[in-house]
C-alpha cells in the first residue's frame, strides 16, 4: 500500500499522509475546514464557515463548531500502532 491509501498507515501515519498530499477528511471538504497541524496528542483544524452552514436565523449552526471539536478531539486521540500495542500490553 502507498501514502495514497490511508489503510497503509496507523492513525498518525494517515494524518501525515493526508497533510503531505494536501488531502483533507471528506467532512472537512464538505464543511470547509482543514487539518493544519498535528503532533502526538494535538490536532489543529481551521475553518471558515459559509452560508451552507448557517441556521435558519442566519448565524453559524452550532453543529459546525461541534464538528470541528469532534474532528480535533478524534484526531488528537489517534495513536500510532506501536503505542496502541504498548497500551494493550500494559493492561
Amino acid at each position: 500500500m502507498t501514502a495514497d491509501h490511508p489503510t497503509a498507515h496507523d492513525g498518525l501515519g494517515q494524518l501525515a499522509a493526508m497533510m503531505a498530499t494536501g488531502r483533507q477528511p471528506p467532512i472537512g471538504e464538505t464543511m470547509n475546514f482543514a487539518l493544519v497541524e498535528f503532533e502526538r496528542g494535538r490536532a489543529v483544524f481551521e475553518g471558515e464557515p459559509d452560508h451552507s452552514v448557517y441556521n435558519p436565523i442566519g448565524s453559524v449552526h452550532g453543529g459546525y463548531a461541534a464538528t470541528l471539536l469532534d474532528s480535533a478531539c478524534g484526531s488528537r486521540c489517534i495513536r500510532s500502532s506501536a503505542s496502541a500495542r504498548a497500551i494493550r500490553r500494559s493492561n
Side-chain angles (χ1 to χ4, degrees):
M1 295 191 183
T2 67
D4 294 336
H5 300 291
T7 56
H9 304 285
D10 61 25
L12 293 173
Q14 287 181 35
L15 294 178
M18 282 182 8
M19 290 199 63
T21 60
R23 292 190 343 255
Q24 292 295 325
I27 190 67
E29 293 172 1
T30 299
M31 296 183 77
N32 194 29
F33 66 83
L35 175 65
V36 295
E37 79 183 72
F38 81 95
E39 59 189 54
R40 186 180 313 271
R42 183 171 185 267
V44 178
F45 285 81
E46 287 182 352
E48 188 167 328
D50 62 21
H51 73 281
S52 69
V53 297
Y54 287 2
N55 62 26
I57 62 170
S59 61
V60 175
H61 192 281
Y64 184 82
T67 301
L68 279 168
L69 179 62
D70 178 69
S71 295
C73 289
S75 296
R76 180 241 175 258
C77 293
I78 289 176
R79 293 187 160 92
S80 68
S81 57
S83 64
R85 283 191 299 273
I87 290 168
R88 282 194 299 270
R89 279 193 295 256
S90 68
N91 289 333

